[in-house]
Amino acid sequence: MSEPHFSEALGRISASRTTVMTDRAIALRAEGRDIISLSVGEPDFPTPPHVIEAAKAALDAGDTRYTAVPGTAALREAAALHFARDLGIEVPPSQVIVSAGGKQAIFLAITATAGPGDEVLIPAPWWVSYPEIVRFAGAVPVALPTTPETGYRISAAQLAAGITPRTRWLLLNSPGNPTGAVYSADDLAALGEVLRRHPQVLVLSDDIYAPLRYTFGAHATLAVVCPDLSDRVLTVSGVSKSHAMTGFRIGVSTGPQWLIGAMAKLQSHASGNPCSISQAAAVAAFTGPQEFLLDWRDRFRVRRDAAVAALNAIPGLSTPVPDGAFYCLIDAAPLMARFGDDEALALHLLDHGIAVVAASAFGGKDGFRISFAADDTRLAEAFRRIAGALA
């Protein structure tokens, strides 16, 4: 048997530690263990009935063939409606691309435009896949550290200090994973002032959690706050988190025509079109009833408040109140003398029936992330187990 041979690009990255922990939880459940998984960001609400019906109708109609690589005309039009109605970005359908989830959109954008010698600025803590995608492209992820005291947001001065002649991208995620950070219009306007001085810097605005915002006022996004910069901003959205459609794998993105074209060129060879049935379902998600999203957000807010109170009551743990998304990033520094590092702490909690993800997976340290996108009863039991495991 020959020795395995891997590409240099594959050797630059690690497997997603969120999915690794989730897979461990699934394997333990298969062995009969009672594991509460708080490791993956997935709404526990059922996919809306009108979305399910649209998927069934597409199957019954025989819509099971190839579609255009950037997505069906119907979904690109529906996505353009979504961008205008929900984010305030007025774009024609021709400037929209549909991908197999927001993750693929980010992968397409970075690998189509960045390479050796390029730098990509990423506020840290960050979503686990951001730096890995950058490394796969051969570029260098550059961390812009944030803290709870700054609301896990970067400042204009910090951005200005981080930009070099090699900077190719700035990645923004608001509301953010794993911190729940939300950038206000004033925050983005200040960053825009810096970006105007550096025309070589593109901005990827990951707005996938926009409907899950617990602050007052409308969602703010860079392409709207700074319209003069919109010709170098890619805004990523989708239906996974908002409409409980994680398994449908549909993301939508809008940006300058040249970038959408480059992403479509790469997608044409990487995967071709996204799933035709999922696209039909996503049309229904964007064009159908939206009122239930407010109820879901209110229910997530109640869970957030309960999670923050329960976690801060456990000796050795502390977490700020996240402004958006459905995660808490928990500081466990007082426990590190006992466990050594946060990966050991995460494995200890798994032994006690709770799957979480170490903060180090997100560019943080000495803590862990939980998702509170689980039903109230399971959340309460999860926090009871965490308290017992750390007693």
Side-chain angles (χ1 to χ4, degrees), residues 189-324:
L191 298 180
E193 285 295 322
V194 176
L195 292 165
R196 289 186 182 97
R197 304 197 297 267
H198 302 278
Q200 87 278 12
V201 181
L202 302 169
V203 182
L204 193 150
S205 181
D206 184 348
D207 291 27
I208 195 73
Y209 294 100
L212 295 172
R213 207 179 53 258
Y214 311 118
T215 53
F216 293 106
H219 175 70
T221 192
L222 188 67
V224 175
V225 174
C226 302
D228 58 307
L229 300 178
S230 61
D231 64 347
R232 49 190 171 111
V233 177
L234 179 74
T235 305
V236 178
S237 186
V239 292
S240 293
K241 311 298 184 178
S242 59
H243 290 72
M245 294 173 63
T246 51
F248 284 78
R249 307 312 305 135
I250 292 292
V252 294
S253 307
T254 186
Q257 192 68 64
W258 69 266
L259 180 55
I260 298 301
M263 294 167 66
K265 179 180 179 180
L266 185 54
Q267 182 162 285
S268 73
H269 294 292
S271 62
N273 64 273
C275 172
S276 59
I277 306 304
S278 294
Q279 291 189 69
V283 171
F286 284 138
T287 62
Q290 306 295 312
E291 295 78 15
F292 69 92
L293 297 178
L294 298 177
D295 175 61
W296 285 10
R297 183 182 64 186
D298 290 343
R299 291 165 69 181
F300 277 130
R301 181 188 282 111
V302 170
R303 293 176 183 181
R304 176 201 66 172
D305 294 343
V308 169
L311 290 163
N312 283 329
I314 299 174
L317 302 184
S318 63
T319 182
V321 179
D323 288 331

Side-chain angles (χ1 to χ4, degrees), residues 21-311:
M21 184 58 79
T22 301
D23 289 347
R24 283 179 177 170
I26 292 171
L28 288 172
R29 284 197 194 109
E31 295 173 4
R33 294 279 303 278
D34 177 23
I35 304 295
I36 299 176
S37 179
L38 305 182
S39 61
V40 66
E42 183 171 52
D44 65 306
F45 303 134
T47 304
H50 67 280
V51 173
I52 298 297
E53 289 304 315
K56 291 178 180 177
L59 284 167
D60 291 339
D63 293 339
T64 57
R65 308 297 184 182
Y66 291 130
T67 75
V69 167
T72 63
L75 182 49
R76 296 175 86 186
E77 290 172 4
L81 167 68
H82 156 67
F83 281 118
R85 178 191 64 210
D86 303 324
L87 300 182
I89 305 173
E90 299 283 350
V91 293
S94 61
Q95 283 182 235
V96 172
I97 183 172
V98 184
S99 55
K103 183 182 292 190
Q104 186 186 32
I106 297 165
F107 191 94
L108 294 171
I110 298 299
T111 55
T113 58
D118 292 328
E119 296 175 348
V120 177
L121 302 178
I122 317 175
W126 47 41
W127 177 50
V128 292
S129 291
Y130 288 149
E132 302 301 332
I133 291 171
V134 170
R135 292 188 184 102
F136 186 85
V140 179
V142 177
L144 299 179
T146 66
T147 66
E149 290 70 31
T150 65
Y152 288 118
R153 300 185 300 271
I154 61 170
S155 67
Q158 192 177 13
L159 174 61
I163 293 176
T164 75
R166 296 183 298 278
T167 304
R168 183 61 170 157
W169 282 94
L170 165 67
L171 304 190
L172 290 176
N173 181 204
S174 174
N177 174 7
T179 64
V182 172
Y183 285 82
S184 69
D186 288 343
D187 294 329
L188 295 175
L191 298 180
E193 285 295 322
V194 176
L195 292 165
R196 289 186 182 97
R197 304 197 297 267
H198 302 278
Q200 87 278 12
V201 181
L202 302 169
V203 182
L204 193 150
S205 181
D206 184 348
D207 291 27
I208 195 73
Y209 294 100
L212 295 172
R213 207 179 53 258
Y214 311 118
T215 53
F216 293 106
H219 175 70
T221 192
L222 188 67
V224 175
V225 174
C226 302
D228 58 307
L229 300 178
S230 61
D231 64 347
R232 49 190 171 111
V233 177
L234 179 74
T235 305
V236 178
S237 186
V239 292
S240 293
K241 311 298 184 178
S242 59
H243 290 72
M245 294 173 63
T246 51
F248 284 78
R249 307 312 305 135
I250 292 292
V252 294
S253 307
T254 186
Q257 192 68 64
W258 69 266
L259 180 55
I260 298 301
M263 294 167 66
K265 179 180 179 180
L266 185 54
Q267 182 162 285
S268 73
H269 294 292
S271 62
N273 64 273
C275 172
S276 59
I277 306 304
S278 294
Q279 291 189 69
V283 171
F286 284 138
T287 62
Q290 306 295 312
E291 295 78 15
F292 69 92
L293 297 178
L294 298 177
D295 175 61
W296 285 10
R297 183 182 64 186
D298 290 343
R299 291 165 69 181
F300 277 130
R301 181 188 282 111
V302 170
R303 293 176 183 181
R304 176 201 66 172
D305 294 343
V308 169
L311 290 163

